Amino acid sequence: DEFFWSKKTQPKMIRRKIISMSTADEQNVFLFPDEIPINIANPSDLEKLKELFPDRSVYITVGSDVIEKASAYLASPEEHSIHGFPHIVFSRNEFPEIPAVELPAAEVSPGREEVSRRISGEVRYFTLPQDLQEISSTLIRENIDSNRDISNLIDPLVQSYIYDNSLYLREPLFKYVFSENRIHFEIVEEFTEQLVQEVTETIFRQHENKERIRTYLMKQGTKAVIIREGNRNNPPVSIAAFHEIGMADLYDEFGSLEIASCVRGITSGKVVVLSGIASVKEAPIKNAEQLTITEALAHCLKNDFTYAMFHNQLGETDAKLIDLLERQGFVPVCQAGPADLYGVDMKFPVTLFSDIETSVKEPFNQRRKVLAVIDEAHRKMQRTMAKLYPGNLILAVDSGVMNHRIVDMIAKESRRPYEPLSPGALGEYMCVPFGKILRGMTIPNIVTKSLQTEKRFESEINLFQITEYPYYSPLVNQIRTIKSFRRPVLLVDDLLHKGYRMKKLDPLLKEEEIDVRKLIVGILSGRGKDLMAVQGRQVDSVYFIPNLRSWFVESSLYPFLGGDGIHRKDISNAGFIPSVNLVLPYVAPRFMTDLPRKALYDFSMTCLENARDILAVLEEEYQMIFEKNLTLNRLSEAISSPRYPDKGLSVSYDLNYPPSLYVANDIEHLKRLENLIL
């Protein structure tokens, strides 16, 4: 049921369909209504269950191991609690020679005393025959992964449904549980002698002019972002140093009248100068310099800086550093000045979420070639975005790091440690992600249950609405399920700007009287903060961006790797969902019509080429590991939520072909439109 929140399950409507198929030939067996959630740990729900069957006895059928371990039975008895219900208990792995009949009291195992101690209602014991005892979900999953016949374990009709829809492929039994973040971010407001010494002996250990670096870092007003591996006691891995500069101090900063005059002509207001970005050689943290500059720029945005300049005072400006700056949107300024003087407008930044790595399943998300192609695709996307919005800040956010930062905030809010405790030591709060973030994941010691939502477009892509994710219960039913947990809620999302999801969910949450204590998001804009003030909700964020221009999620841009939903009455394959990627040639995105056509064409081409390259490497690695081809019907073995670009009614894909082939076809299609577009 929906209250085993740590299990990684198929969507509820798929599971209901499997049960319906399995019981279709049984008389007087019915599925309980989806709109009435019953949590066996909630006495109010159990009281409602009794009321639904007046003048009848309601028995709970359960395995003996559940009574020994489930939190509902471990809790203290109270009125209408599970302890007072009559039970039918199936003993596991006991008396295999006895058929499925009721056990005499004398033959019941010693565990009966424990059951009797916890259950005050009538208890009747049964056992299953040997052939049924051997059936387990783990065995079924292993056979599905190996494409074996499972008709002796489940109904043959269900077997066909599972294989035809590519369900349960390489799916773990439990959700991924977060471990402690291995990256520590530190904002330095003022340097001490000890910290300067630590930085110069690690990050700048091989630098020739350490005295110049020490002098700058000890200078009043110098600030920095430092990241360390693990915790604050470990050596620093990367640094981004910066300081504020006023319009009256430009000559003192650059020593040139021409540059001072040039900068005054470009911007006004609060200006920050990035004076150096560096990391240790062979840093143990991947993309350390990218993470550091993102953190530094986000800190400056939060403090109302509107323009950033790069004026290196901590080493040489090499090609690698210039590429890093240009990928964030920096452009050369003041031609009369030094070659390493760059600037970027921060008034209306654009965010780019890098989430492909979190969308790829194990073991592929740990393969060197897969990680390399994902990183290169992200860099290509950054460069394309910089051309799409020239001179405008492109804030690149790593979704994996963002997940950990949000989990840190949740753990702090709920005052729970990272180390998993006993089941009875769960915190007071319930974490409820309602976007893409933390999907299929759980936080140690905190009940984690997602609200499965989706932005779903009409077929003409002119309107959309927020609905339940395909094959999940309607949103109101999901919210009723969350209410049955009887816990105050922490809502979680990756971004809050226009607040489409919250506008849809807010009246439903209030109607069901859900106790929402706080909303925690990755990126919060000024508009999003105002919206929460209107709704009367508390909100906290990892990053605050006052004026967000646009946001992009990489997986939503790449065909077969992600996308937004599209309204179709019938979906032919439950494991392969139609979607729309807001790039050419699938659709001309309306929110980008004011941009140059060449930039829009290059942006779309980059998305398609990145998708093709990532899928091609996944296909290659899949072939090496499993010695067979990765085709569309097995794409769910490599991707958490595979989608396919919707081409209209009665247009289908051959599921025996690799996905990269179809992306290559779309690249060719876009090239045919090049003359018209440009």
Side-chain angles (χ1 to χ4, degrees):
D1 61 47
E2 290 296 287
F3 299 97
F4 281 89
W5 52 271
S6 60
K7 293 281 186 75
K8 187 171 176 60
T9 60
Q10 290 292 319
K12 186 176 182 181
M13 294 300 110
I14 288 178
R15 288 179 283 130
R16 283 181 67 89
K17 188 165 186 176
I18 286 174
I19 295 170
S20 180
M21 290 178 179
S22 301
T23 60
D25 58 345
E26 301 286 346
Q27 290 187 352
N28 301 317
V29 174
F30 307 97
L31 272 67
F32 197 77
D34 178 50
E35 61 269 20
I36 307 176
I38 301 294
N39 180 3
I40 64 171
N42 185 342
S44 299
D45 283 359
L46 294 174
E47 182 183 9
K48 183 196 309 178
L49 181 63
K50 287 181 181 178
E51 293 171 354
L52 292 171
F53 297 95
D55 304 322
R56 303 182 72 178
S57 295
V58 178
Y59 281 75
I60 304 295
T61 306
V62 67
S64 58
D65 57 330
V66 174
I67 296 178
E68 296 170 9
K69 300 173 184 177
S71 58
Y73 292 94
L74 295 175
S76 300
E78 56 182 293
E79 188 178 6
H80 302 299
S81 69
I82 192 73
H83 310 85
F85 275 71
H87 276 64
I88 293 174
V89 178
F90 281 87
S91 299
R92 299 292 179 94
N93 300 316
E94 298 167 2
F95 308 105
E97 71 283 355
I98 300 177
V101 296
E102 187 169 1
L103 292 174
E107 297 185 11
V108 175
S109 68
R112 180 185 182 187
E113 293 183 5
E114 180 68 17
V115 172
S116 300
R117 187 176 65 83
R118 293 183 181 170
I119 299 175
S120 58
E122 175 196 358
V123 180
R124 299 173 65 181
Y125 290 90
F126 287 79
T127 188
L128 293 173
Q130 182 70 35
D131 58 330
L132 296 184
Q133 286 192 20
E134 292 178 352
I135 296 176
S136 71
S137 61
T138 303
L139 179 61
I140 294 173
R141 287 167 180 264
E142 289 174 356
N143 286 333
I144 291 172
D145 286 341
S146 302
N147 200 31
R148 298 189 189 119
D149 179 69
I150 53 174
S151 59
N152 62 326
L153 302 175
I154 61 174
D155 188 282
L157 189 62
V158 174
Q159 172 183 261
S160 300
Y161 180 71
I162 289 174
Y163 279 124
D164 291 346
N165 291 276
S166 304
L167 304 177
Y168 294 102
L169 292 172
R170 311 287 169 199
E171 287 283 3
L173 187 59
F174 291 92
K175 296 178 183 176
Y176 169 77
V177 181
F178 274 91
S179 56
E180 192 165 0
N181 192 359
R182 57 182 292 268
I183 302 176
H184 176 74
F185 292 87
E186 180 180 345
I187 304 292
V188 180
E189 296 289 346
E190 185 177 352
F191 278 88
T192 62
E193 287 279 1
Q194 181 181 352
L195 183 56
V196 170
Q197 185 72 14
E198 186 181 19
V199 168
T200 53
E201 289 181 356
T202 52
I203 298 174
F204 299 104
R205 182 165 55 90
Q206 298 179 335
H207 201 276
E208 295 179 0
N209 196 350
K210 291 183 181 179
E211 195 55 43
R212 178 189 170 192
I213 294 171
R214 287 194 188 95
T215 302
Y216 172 75
L217 294 179
M218 290 300 296
K219 188 176 177 182
Q220 186 176 5
T222 299
K223 301 180 181 181
V225 168
I226 292 176
I227 63 174
R228 306 171 187 264
E229 185 183 22
N231 56 57
R232 64 186 310 153
N233 297 321
N234 291 329
V237 171
S238 182
I239 185 173
F242 54 92
H243 62 273
E244 183 178 356
I245 184 172
M247 290 292 111
D249 303 319
L250 292 174
Y251 178 79
D252 294 336
E253 173 73 26
F254 301 109
S256 166
L257 291 174
E258 291 82 358
I259 295 176
S261 177
C262 175
V263 172
R264 290 189 186 100
I266 293 173
T267 186
S268 60
K270 293 184 72 173
V271 179
V272 64
V273 175
L274 275 171
S275 46
I277 304 158
S279 63
V280 299
K281 265 193 171 183
E282 299 179 357
I285 297 174
K286 189 177 71 171
N287 299 325
E289 292 183 351
Q290 174 65 74
L291 296 177
T292 313
I293 192 172
T294 294
E295 195 70 21
L297 293 169
H299 176 77
C300 294
L301 284 169
K302 184 178 180 180
N303 288 277
D304 301 322
F305 287 95
T306 58
Y307 196 81
M309 299 190 69
F310 179 80
H311 182 214
N312 202 349
Q313 300 186 40
L314 297 180
E316 297 181 359
T317 306
D318 55 14
K320 182 181 176 183
L321 182 55
I322 291 174
D323 179 59
L324 176 68
L325 292 169
E326 290 179 343
R327 284 189 278 119
Q328 318 309 310
F330 282 81
V331 294
V333 295
C334 306
Q335 300 300 323
D340 62 352
L341 195 62
Y342 287 77
V344 68
D345 190 341
M346 301 174 66
K347 288 193 293 292
F348 300 100
V350 175
T351 61
L352 175 65
F353 285 90
S354 170
D355 67 333
I356 299 298
E357 190 173 328
T358 60
S359 303
V360 176
K361 286 184 177 181
E362 292 183 351
F364 304 102
N365 60 0
Q366 299 171 359
R367 304 283 287 189
R368 181 183 56 81
K369 289 186 70 174
V370 173
L371 295 177
V373 73
I374 290 174
D375 285 345
E376 181 55 35
H378 178 62
R379 294 189 189 97
K380 284 175 62 178
M381 182 56 67
Q382 283 182 286
R383 296 185 190 105
T384 302
M385 297 290 295
K387 293 177 182 176
L388 202 60
Y389 299 96
N392 199 84
L393 176 61
I394 311 297
L395 193 69
V397 179
D398 185 292
S399 289
V401 175
M402 174 73 81
N403 284 347
H404 276 288
R405 299 288 297 279
I406 287 180
V407 169
D408 287 341
M409 295 178 69
I410 295 169
K412 184 178 179 181
E413 185 72 27
S414 60
R415 300 184 294 278
R416 306 308 291 167
Y418 259 111
E419 300 76 21
L421 303 175
S422 63
L426 293 170
E428 172 194 6
Y429 292 113
M430 177 180 181
C431 173
V432 181
F434 61 97
K436 291 186 176 181
I437 202 163
L438 302 184
R439 184 173 286 178
M441 303 175 184
T442 187
I443 302 169
N445 311 309
I446 300 174
V447 175
T448 311
K449 174 74 174 171
S450 294
L451 253 176
Q452 303 288 349
T453 65
E454 177 172 72
K455 179 194 287 186
R456 188 174 299 175
F457 284 90
E458 298 298 325
S459 59
E460 296 180 358
I461 320 298
N462 54 355
L463 295 171
F464 69 85
Q465 55 183 329
I466 302 300
T467 67
E468 67 278 358
Y469 198 82
Y471 294 101
Y472 281 92
S473 300
L475 291 178
V476 64
N477 292 356
Q478 293 187 50
I479 289 174
R480 286 172 183 164
T481 300
I482 288 169
K483 181 180 181 180
S484 286
F485 278 91
R486 296 194 302 174
R487 291 174 177 271
V489 166
L490 297 174
L491 289 176
V492 181
D493 200 4
D494 49 4
L495 179 141
L496 179 59
H497 177 43
K498 294 187 177 180
Y500 296 123
R501 282 187 171 87
M502 279 305 299
K503 287 177 183 176
K504 175 70 175 183
L505 295 177
D506 182 64
L508 300 177
L509 292 167
K510 289 178 177 175
E511 182 180 346
E512 295 298 328
E513 299 179 344
I514 303 295
D515 180 11
V516 179
R517 295 292 175 87
K518 183 177 280 191
L519 177 62
I520 297 176
V521 297
I523 292 179
L524 176 67
S525 71
R527 177 174 176 173
K529 189 173 183 180
D530 294 343
L531 176 63
M532 290 301 97
V534 171
Q535 292 186 4
R537 300 196 183 280
Q538 291 187 44
V539 62
D540 201 357
S541 63
V542 178
Y543 302 127
F544 177 68
I545 300 178
N547 299 298
L548 182 62
R549 178 171 181 172
S550 298
W551 69 96
F552 297 85
V553 180
E554 281 194 56
S555 64
S556 297
L557 300 171
Y558 297 164
F560 298 101
L561 297 173
D564 292 310
I566 187 166
H567 181 71
R568 292 294 181 201
K569 288 185 178 179
D570 297 314
I571 301 177
S572 58
N573 190 312
F576 202 44
I577 301 170
S579 66
V580 59
N581 306 98
L582 299 181
V583 299
L584 300 170
Y586 310 117
V587 63
R590 297 190 175 197
F591 65 94
M592 299 171 71
T593 51
D594 59 330
L595 300 173
R597 288 190 174 192
K598 178 69 166 63
L600 180 56
Y601 177 85
D602 291 343
F603 167 74
S604 299
M605 184 62 74
T606 298
C607 293
L608 294 178
E609 290 175 346
N610 283 351
R612 177 200 61 193
D613 295 344
I614 293 170
L615 289 167
V617 172
L618 283 173
E619 291 161 11
E620 181 183 330
E621 292 296 304
Y622 184 90
Q623 174 72 38
M624 289 180 62
I625 296 172
F626 301 112
E627 298 183 347
K628 53 187 174 184
N629 294 331
L630 178 61
T631 55
L632 286 178
N633 66 335
R634 299 193 76 87
L635 186 57
S636 59
E637 294 189 48
I639 302 296
S640 297
S641 300
R643 315 286 296 240
Y644 68 89
D646 179 80
K647 299 292 183 69
L649 297 173
S650 303
V651 179
S652 60
Y653 291 82
D654 188 330
L655 300 182
N656 296 311
Y657 282 99
S660 62
L661 175 65
Y662 285 103
V663 181
N665 291 341
D666 290 332
I667 291 174
E668 185 177 306
H669 186 192
L670 181 56
K671 287 179 178 178
R672 292 177 182 177
L673 301 175
E674 181 177 2
N675 290 334
L676 175 64
I677 295 168
L678 303 184

